[in-house]
């Protein structure tokens, strides 16, 4: 593939990712805003319950409160005509388990006793109790289960359930803002797929399928083109070194690939890991783990950059992460390809050794060297044939 054509494909890929970001933002943003409002309301309700519970209480720590007896809750007098059977019949409402009104005082007394034991009030060595340790009163089981479902649904869509309406310190960043949507479209076409967010609307899911069907092949073509470009560059350097200084083609190739690997390792792995470690407050081993899981397209999603609640990120941070991922994927794909070629070369050398022993020919080492140089010539010959040139018969 010619360099100009490859550049055009890269430019088309960038535009395709941006268009995908616009589409995902348009399709998913409204649903996300609805979910965020539900989570904000849930946390506001809990805060209101907490505030109502502690309203009117002495808030000064250090002043030991005067011990008081547990208040006697008034009991509702029941008429003599109400028998135990009539109370049970009144509680059996369409099969729903209920508590009779007459039993509420006893139930509340038991709650008070358990509360005293839980807060260790009988020890008498506490001046005050943090309001976060006080129970939230009054929340029914139905409300509690609803809050659990809302929190679970929010976590599935990448929103911290503890998010509150306000500044960035109280809420997770939006998952379907334009910048985040562009990042999602990039993870789709590169097959990283972190899994921390996913389309929740029918339109978003349908578009994601069509978008991936076109974007993934385009990305693979670019990946193959960049790999071939690097391979041609290394072979060209090896041939020039052999022609001018009569250096071993195989040795020059190894040195060139080693230099490429060292530079790429620093630019796309070690250095970005240090930057992400500082930006996310992760340990350096955690950042290295995140780098490899991302660039290898495994994408577990246990670590995702730029998604922490209560953290303000540099404006260009996400853009740099996107550029790093796009370039680092090419580098790690090149490393995997080299490892694959090395394994194939070892297997080819074993077959050549076995064949040489059967034919009584040269040594396995000589055959292996000939096989490697023939591989270089064969790859170069295929490249020149594509350009309509005559296949070379020698290195010089």
């Amino acid at each position: 593939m010619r360099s100009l054509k490859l550049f055009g494909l890269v430019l088309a890929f960038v535009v395709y990712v941006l268009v995908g970001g616009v589409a995902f933002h348009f399709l998913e943003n409204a649903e996300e805003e609805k979910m965020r409002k539900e989570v904000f309301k849930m946390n506001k309700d809990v805060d209101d319950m907490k505030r109502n519970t502690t309203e009117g209480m002495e808030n000064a720590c250090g002043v030991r409160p005067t011990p008081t007896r547990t208040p006697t809750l008034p009991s509702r007098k029941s008429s003599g005509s109400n028998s135990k059977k009539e109370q049970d019949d009144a509680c059996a409402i369409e099969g729903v388990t209920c508590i009779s009104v007459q039993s509420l005082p006893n139930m509340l007394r038991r709650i008070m006793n358990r509360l005293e034991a839980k807060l260790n009030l009988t020890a008498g060595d506490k001046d005050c109790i943090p309001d976060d340790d006080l129970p939230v009163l009054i929340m029914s089981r139905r409300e509690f289960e609803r809050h659990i479902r809302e929190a679970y649904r929010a976590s599935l869509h990448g929103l911290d359930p503890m998010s509150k309406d306000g500044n960035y310190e109280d809420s997770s960043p939006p998952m379907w803002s334009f910048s985040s949507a562009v990042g999602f479209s990039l993870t789709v076409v590169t097959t990283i797929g972190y899994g921390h967010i996913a389309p929740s609307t029918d339109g978003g899911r349908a578009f994601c399928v069509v978008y991936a069907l076109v974007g993934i092949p385009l990305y693979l073509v670019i990946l193959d083109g960049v790999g071939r470009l690097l391979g041609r560059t290394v072979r060209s350097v090896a041939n020039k070194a052999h022609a001018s200084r009569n250096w071993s083609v195989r040795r020059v190739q190894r040195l060139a690939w080693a230099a490429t690997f060292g530079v790429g390792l620093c630019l796309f792995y070690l250095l970005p890991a240090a930057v992400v470690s500082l930006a996310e407050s992760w340990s350096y081993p955690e950042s290295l783990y995140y780098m490899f899981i991302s660039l290898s397209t495994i994408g577990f999603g246990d670590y995702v950059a730029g998604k922490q609640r209560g953290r303000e990120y540099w404006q260009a941070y996400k853009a740099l992460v996107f550029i790093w991922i796009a370039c680092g994927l090419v580098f790690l794909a090149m490393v995997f390809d080299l490892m694959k070629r090395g394994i194939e070369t070892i297997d080819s050398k074993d077959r050549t050794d076995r064949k040489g022993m059967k034919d009584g020919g040269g040594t396995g080492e000589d055959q292996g060297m000939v096989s490697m140089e023939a591989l270089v010539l064969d790859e170069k010959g295929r490249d020149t044939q594509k350009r309509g040139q005559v296949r070379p018969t020698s290195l010089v």
Side-chain angles (χ1 to χ4, degrees):
M1 184 182 297
R2 293 183 179 180
S3 300
L4 184 60
K5 184 178 179 180
L6 181 61
F7 176 77
L9 286 176
V10 171
L11 184 61
F13 178 77
V14 173
V15 174
Y16 189 77
V17 170
L18 293 176
V19 171
V22 173
F24 282 118
H25 171 72
F26 176 77
L27 292 170
E28 298 293 331
N29 186 63
E31 185 68 18
E32 183 194 19
E33 287 299 321
K34 179 181 177 181
M35 182 186 65
R36 290 175 69 88
K37 289 180 180 179
E38 292 176 356
V39 173
F40 294 158
K41 183 179 182 303
M42 175 187 70
N43 285 297
K44 183 177 182 300
D45 292 343
V46 174
D47 288 342
D48 290 343
M49 292 179 190
K50 173 182 173 182
R51 184 167 53 253
N52 293 334
T53 300
T54 58
E55 186 176 1
M57 294 183 179
E58 180 61 43
N59 198 29
C61 293
V63 179
R64 185 180 298 276
T66 302
T68 58
R69 296 179 60 186
T70 303
T72 301
L73 297 173
S75 61
R76 183 172 179 174
K77 294 183 180 180
S78 59
S79 61
S81 60
N82 290 334
S83 63
K84 180 69 169 57
K85 183 177 182 303
E86 290 175 343
Q87 293 178 7
D88 293 339
D89 291 340
C91 291
I93 304 174
E94 297 181 357
V96 178
T97 302
C98 302
I99 300 296
S100 64
V101 177
Q102 287 79 5
S103 64
L104 281 178
N106 290 331
M107 182 188 71
L108 294 179
R109 289 190 189 95
R110 289 196 298 270
I111 292 177
M112 291 295 296
N113 292 334
R114 287 198 300 267
L115 180 60
E116 287 186 352
K118 182 178 180 180
L119 298 178
N120 197 20
L121 298 180
T122 58
D125 58 350
K126 290 186 177 181
D127 293 332
C128 64
I129 301 170
D131 57 358
D132 286 340
D133 293 336
L134 293 174
V136 176
L137 300 177
I138 303 173
M139 179 184 293
S140 67
R141 178 174 179 176
R142 193 186 306 275
E143 291 174 321
F144 179 68
E145 290 177 348
R146 178 174 61 85
H147 289 335
I148 291 178
R149 286 193 297 269
E150 290 178 354
Y152 176 71
R153 180 169 169 263
S155 63
L156 288 179
H157 292 79
L159 176 62
D160 192 326
M162 298 301 295
S163 296
K164 300 179 182 179
D165 193 8
N167 54 29
Y168 71 91
E169 294 180 354
D170 298 325
S171 176
S172 296
M175 295 293 103
W176 293 107
S177 63
F178 173 70
S179 60
S180 297
V182 170
F184 174 78
S185 63
L186 182 63
T187 61
V188 169
V189 295
T190 56
T191 69
I192 294 177
Y194 285 123
H196 65 297
I197 58 172
S200 58
T201 63
D202 292 337
R205 290 165 182 162
F207 177 76
C208 185
V209 172
V210 177
Y211 184 77
L213 284 175
V214 179
I216 292 176
L218 176 61
Y219 164 72
L220 293 177
V221 169
I222 293 175
L223 200 64
D224 181 71
V226 174
R228 288 179 179 273
L229 178 62
L230 291 174
R232 287 200 303 268
T233 302
V234 171
R235 291 195 300 271
S236 177
V237 171
N239 288 329
K240 289 181 179 179
H242 178 80
S244 61
R245 300 181 179 273
N246 199 27
W247 289 350
S248 170
V249 175
R250 188 177 181 183
R251 182 172 300 176
V252 174
Q253 273 194 324
R254 287 179 174 177
L255 290 175
W257 283 122
T260 304
F261 175 77
V263 173
L265 185 66
C266 293
L267 290 180
F268 305 122
Y269 196 69
L270 300 179
L271 182 60
V275 175
V276 171
S277 177
L278 293 175
E280 304 289 343
S281 296
W282 295 341
S283 65
Y284 192 68
E286 288 176 327
S287 299
L288 290 175
Y289 166 79
Y290 164 70
M291 295 294 161
F292 179 80
I293 294 300
S294 298
L295 297 185
S296 61
T297 69
I298 295 175
F300 287 132
D302 50 348
Y303 288 88
V304 180
K307 304 299 180 183
Q308 293 192 51
R309 179 173 66 93
R311 183 173 294 275
E312 187 175 13
Y313 294 96
W314 182 36
Q315 293 295 331
Y317 175 67
K318 289 185 178 181
L320 291 175
V321 170
F322 297 158
I323 295 173
W324 158 75
I325 289 177
C327 298
L329 286 168
V330 176
F331 164 71
L332 200 60
M334 180 199 72
V335 173
F336 289 159
D337 184 68
L338 286 177
M339 295 174 65
K340 184 193 72 171
R341 287 177 180 270
I343 295 173
E344 291 175 348
T345 301
I346 294 174
D347 183 64
S348 176
K349 182 179 178 181
D350 291 340
R351 290 198 302 269
T352 303
D353 290 343
R354 290 194 296 269
K355 183 178 179 181
M357 293 176 63
K358 290 180 181 180
D359 297 340
T363 62
E365 183 178 1
D366 294 337
Q367 293 289 344
M369 293 178 64
V370 173
S371 176
M372 176 58 72
E373 293 189 358
L375 177 62
V376 174
L377 291 173
D378 186 59
E379 290 181 355
K380 185 178 179 183
R382 285 199 297 268
D383 292 338
T384 53
Q385 277 186 339
K386 290 180 180 179
R387 296 194 298 268
Q389 299 180 358
V390 181
R391 179 170 178 172
T393 57
S394 63
L395 292 172
V396 294

